[in-house]
Amino acid sequence: MSMNVCTDQLVLLLAEPDQIASLSDLSLDPSLSFLHTDAAPYPKNSGRAEEVFLAKPDLVVTGTFSLHNTTSLLETLDFAVEEFAYDQSVDTIPGEIRRMGALIGQDAKAEQIASTYERDLADLRARQCPMKPTAIAYEQNGVVLGEGTLADSVIDAAGLTNLATELGYSAMTPLPLEELVSHQPDIVIVSEPMADAPALADQIAHHPALRALETSRIGAFVPRGAWACGGPFVIEAVRALTELREEIASCDPAR
């Protein structure tokens, strides 16, 4: 039974269907779960201890940012609970895949997925060159993803410089639009709004000052949900940004 959107996806990747007792409600959110379509057939939970007590799973997997009172209560009731930290680096992902595989008896599958991810990440990193354009992830309400975030690690792996980190921002932090505009990043990565849930928080991506940056590439370049959680699908975010970097700053001096 998974009670966290990030552990949901590791379970979906590795477990056999009859091993999955339940996934979190957020497993269906396309902005958070790269595997939201795969999650549809399974029962859902809202992270309450009562739901676990009724389901009586052999194992509960959750995240360190999930409801701590639920986790402690389940441990008091002698349920087997394993917490997974939110991955802050592309390099920690293989270990989390292998750990989940060991927990649910899917070591061979986990090893195959983790090894493929490691190989693909190494191949993409090998395409880097000294030219490192600036990029910034500018999300709802002008929040940027700075040092210590998974997005920061993805940007670096793609051979780009995270402007938010360069400016001294860490974690998820609001950045004044004026500061972003004054530094004119080469790439501005905005979040893709949900078509069925319009929000004022998304309007920052359409601000005239941002759109007036003639030399900046602005768009939702990262596949939806690809860097919300640590998993092998993060490689799609690295690949998308690597290909974008190669479009705007080729490593070939002849081009």
Side-chain angles (χ1 to χ4, degrees):
M1 188 168 182
S2 171
M3 305 178 73
N4 174 273
V5 66
C6 294
T7 53
D8 289 340
Q9 295 177 84
L10 291 178
V11 167
L12 284 167
L13 283 166
L14 296 169
E16 295 299 325
D18 61 1
Q19 287 185 283
I20 303 175
S22 178
L23 302 171
S24 80
D25 289 335
L26 293 177
S27 63
L28 297 175
D29 188 335
S31 65
L32 297 175
S33 176
F34 192 73
L35 303 178
H36 62 277
T37 302
D38 297 334
Y42 299 100
K44 306 300 183 296
N45 69 76
S46 56
R48 295 180 298 167
E50 294 88 343
E51 295 169 297
V52 179
F53 186 78
L54 291 173
K56 292 181 170 54
D58 298 312
L59 174 67
V60 177
V61 289
T62 187
T64 52
F65 290 155
S66 299
L67 297 173
H68 292 291
N69 57 337
T70 296
T71 301
S72 60
L73 178 57
L74 292 174
E75 290 173 338
T76 300
L77 295 172
D78 292 328
F79 281 95
V81 182
E82 291 286 341
E83 287 188 297
F84 282 70
Y86 177 69
D87 281 293
Q88 304 297 336
S89 165
V90 295
D91 295 308
T92 60
I93 290 170
E96 298 293 82
I97 296 170
R98 292 182 174 106
R99 180 187 170 200
M100 183 66 82
L103 287 171
I104 63 175
Q106 298 288 351
D107 300 78
K109 187 186 293 186
E111 183 58 38
Q112 180 182 18
I113 293 173
S115 297
T116 299
Y117 170 88
E118 289 171 328
R119 183 196 66 223
D120 291 347
L121 181 60
D123 289 345
L124 288 170
R125 277 177 162 157
R127 289 160 62 174
Q128 294 186 12
C129 58
M131 179 73 73
K132 298 188 70 172
T134 55
I136 192 166
Y138 202 54
E139 304 225 316
Q140 288 185 325
N141 287 326
V143 169
V144 296
L145 305 177
E147 185 178 8
T149 62
L150 181 56
D152 179 57
S153 181
V154 168
I155 290 170
D156 179 71
L160 297 164
T161 298
N162 187 357
L163 177 61
T165 298
E166 289 290 296
L167 294 175
Y169 289 89
S170 61
M172 300 176 66
T173 312
L175 174 75
L177 179 59
E178 294 85 349
E179 187 170 6
L180 185 152
V181 170
S182 69
H183 285 88
Q184 301 188 37
D186 297 301
I187 300 169
V188 181
I189 307 161
V190 296
S191 53
E192 183 179 350
M194 295 182 66
D196 58 346
L200 290 174
D202 291 319
Q203 294 305 305
I204 191 71
H206 303 285
H207 195 285
L210 186 62
R211 294 296 169 177
L213 291 173
E214 296 181 357
T215 60
S216 299
R217 297 283 294 271
I218 303 170
F221 303 112
V222 174
R224 202 169 195 179
W227 65 7
C229 289
F233 38 81
V234 171
I235 204 68
E236 299 306 325
V238 180
R239 181 175 289 110
L241 292 184
T242 297
E243 292 173 354
L244 179 60
R245 175 187 55 76
E246 290 174 341
E247 284 181 23
I248 66 175
S250 171
C251 294
D252 183 357
R255 291 180 59 186

